[in-house]
DNA sequence: ACCAGGGTTTCCGCCTGGCGGAAAAGTGAC
DNA sequence: GTCACTTTTCCGCCAGGCGGAAACCCTGGT
């Protein structure tokens, strides 16, 4: 799911209310007044005031000099203990740095969550093609390079779930035919590389490879994203594979 | 505070209980059984079971194939919205990369929280002196390079608070005399650089500079940490200042 | 100086749902 | 089969979470 389960309809538990306060924040709303937060969480102002007090006391939120509320440091400290985020980033950082040095293009690391990818790290090339992704962004799997990798190696029921849902189109080149996607996924499994050519934006092509955990499961995917014009995926593939393999080895330690 | 306010003594609110579940995790306990989590949170097992259910549903926790509970991806997604963490890291990443390329030593970025520093980013030099810090670690301010910077430029009452508390000794060279520390802080403010020489470990010296926000306040500190033997802080200072200034400029945009 | 329209904070009666002890069920090692 | 842990379920109790209302605050406009 994109957002934690804090649907406003029906009775909500105390926990759900507290977590709904946290879900009021997003990339477009990083700083909120108490009243705005209450509206976004669909809670009465006095309830929100009380819950915000609890979160402020714990460090889940901070109140700025401007009176606005923001996500706090302690929440991040706890979240940093998630193995699929900071731990993965730390294991990946040297190899991502190497891949960046080798290509000077955007380098991205993502994990799967349900039927979506979540980007956990990226190095943005200064002169590289602009990319939509930012750390913490969640995105459908079927169009991006990393998404294709993660879907290809996902459990069968996840693949069937993704293939039976309507596939979202982002450009005229986005693959939205399930049969074609199924075929692409088989190809990704065979070659150990995914190429997404102008499926997300019309100027970007990405090449992605799987990152495996200690027991061989695919736990993340690594990609470079380059200008589609003049791109040579076959030339990029070895470097991406090598970097992904290095991350896999780092995770095995 | 180091840990969110979830003291186990006395009556606890529903919010405090939920947050105590999250606080059960730390760097040494990233994966926990339900029973272990209940013990660490000082909650009855059935209460913990219910709260864990709420967090699993929201994405704050995940249950692995091994049955163990871990901090989940959605918590990190929310935490990634904290301006003092991912946002700061992203602004800092190019300059930290440059400083690393220039020195090939450990590069660290930290923010102040109360009377402690929290490390929000680091680049570990492959052949550099081992450092204690990891991302998400919190540490007293007075001994580290970044801590000296953050303390020097903190509001007066924060400085007085730090100076009136007993200063913790880590090595025989740790400054624990408040008068001497006060003098060092004045020096840091004057020179815009802090040097911590073997105050944390006996083999490391760090050089740190302030990172300023758009309104000129010191919002973070950047440092390199090198082998103390043969270290030339004066030679390192310009590069650290330059990188810190670049981050300050990035934050002003 | 006043007003309006937002905001935040406080109060407190209501009643629901959070709480946790007990028991049942599950798991793995021996 | 036993043991020691684990996880899950049940359900009676009552505490505290809830939120409407009101008070108070702040800022910008006139």
């Amino acid at each position: 799911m994109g957002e934690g389960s804090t649907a406003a309809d029906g009775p909500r538990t105390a926990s759900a209310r507290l977590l709904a306060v946290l879900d009021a924040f997003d990339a477009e709303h990083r700083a909120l007044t108490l009243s705005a937060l209450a509206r976004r969480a669909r809670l009465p102002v006095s309830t929100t005031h009380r819950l915000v007090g609890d979160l402020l006391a714990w460090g889940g939120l901070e109140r700025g000099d401007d009176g606005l509320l923001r996500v706090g440091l302690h929440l991040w400290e706890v979240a940093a203990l998630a193995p699929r985020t900071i731990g993965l980033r730390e294991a990946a950082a040297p190899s991502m740095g190497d891949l960046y040095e080798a290509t000077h293009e955007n380098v991205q690391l993502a994990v799967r969550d349900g039927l979506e990818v979540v980007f956990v790290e990226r190095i943005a090339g200064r002169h590289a093609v602009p990319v939509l992704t930012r750390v913490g962004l969640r995105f459908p799997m079927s169009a991006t390079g990393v998404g294709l990798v993660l879907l290809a190696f996902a459990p069968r029921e996840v693949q069937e779930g993704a293939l039976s849902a309507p596939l979202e189109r982002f450009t005229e080149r986005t693959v939205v035919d399930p049969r074609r996607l199924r075929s692409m996924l088989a190809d990704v499994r065979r070659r150990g590389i995914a190429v997404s050519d102008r499926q997300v934006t019309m100027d970007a092509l990405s090449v992605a490879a799987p990152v495996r955990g200690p027991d061989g499961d695919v736990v993340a995917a690594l990609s470079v994203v380059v200008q589609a014009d003049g791109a040579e995926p076959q030339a990029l593939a070895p470097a991406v594979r090598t970097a992904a393999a290095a991350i896999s080895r780092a995770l095995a330690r």
Side-chain angles (χ1 to χ4, degrees), chain A:
Chain A
M1 72 243 131
E3 180 172 287
S5 297
T6 53
D9 306 316
R12 286 192 283 176
T13 66
S15 298
R17 287 188 173 90
L18 189 76
L19 301 172
V21 169
L22 292 175
D23 277 337
F25 294 90
D26 65 22
E28 287 72 49
H29 304 86
R30 295 167 184 263
L32 291 165
T33 65
L34 185 84
S35 300
L37 200 156
R39 284 194 294 274
R40 288 179 57 77
R42 291 192 180 85
L43 289 166
V45 170
S46 53
T47 301
T48 305
H49 184 264
R50 198 169 34 77
L51 295 170
V52 161
D54 293 339
L55 286 164
L56 286 169
W58 182 68
L61 295 179
E62 294 174 349
R63 195 190 290 263
D65 292 334
D66 54 5
L68 295 179
L69 297 157
R70 294 173 175 86
V71 175
L73 211 53
H74 190 58
L75 190 78
W76 186 77
E77 284 177 80
V78 175
L81 296 167
R84 303 208 295 137
T85 54
I86 299 291
L88 181 55
R89 286 167 71 127
E90 299 224 313
S95 303
M96 289 182 76
D98 291 344
L99 185 53
Y100 176 74
E101 287 307 316
T103 61
H104 280 280
E105 303 284 7
N106 304 291
V107 179
Q108 300 178 332
L109 185 70
V111 299
R112 183 177 70 80
D113 189 49
L115 296 182
E116 294 173 302
V117 295
V118 179
F119 292 93
V120 298
E121 180 63 293
R122 68 155 190 178
I123 302 177
R126 283 196 189 79
H127 306 296
V129 66
V131 291
L132 290 174
T133 49
R134 56 169 174 79
V135 169
L137 179 76
R138 130 178 338 255
F139 205 84
M141 273 194 285
S142 57
T144 59
V146 289
L148 288 169
V149 166
L150 292 166
L151 186 54
F153 292 100
R156 177 61 60 95
E157 64 272 16
V158 173
Q159 295 183 48
E160 294 310 320
L163 284 156
S164 59
L167 296 166
E168 193 172 345
R169 182 185 295 272
F170 303 99
T171 71
E172 66 197 29
R173 292 183 63 101
T174 310
V175 174
V176 296
D177 172 19
R179 284 173 301 176
R180 187 156 166 234
L181 181 56
R182 200 183 290 274
S183 174
M184 286 174 72
L185 296 178
D187 196 46
V188 170
R189 285 190 289 273
R190 184 165 55 247
R191 296 166 59 205
I193 276 287
V195 177
S196 169
D197 184 0
R198 285 165 287 188
Q199 291 211 52
V200 180
T201 57
M202 283 306 285
D203 57 357
L205 175 148
S206 68
V207 180
V211 173
R212 293 176 186 276
D215 59 358
D217 282 355
V218 173
V219 297
L222 181 76
S223 72
V224 289
V225 188
V226 302
Q227 192 83 30
D229 281 344
E232 296 182 351
Q234 302 315 317
L236 290 164
V240 180
R241 271 208 200 85
T242 299
I247 300 173
S248 302
R249 284 195 297 278
L251 291 174
R253 284 203 282 281

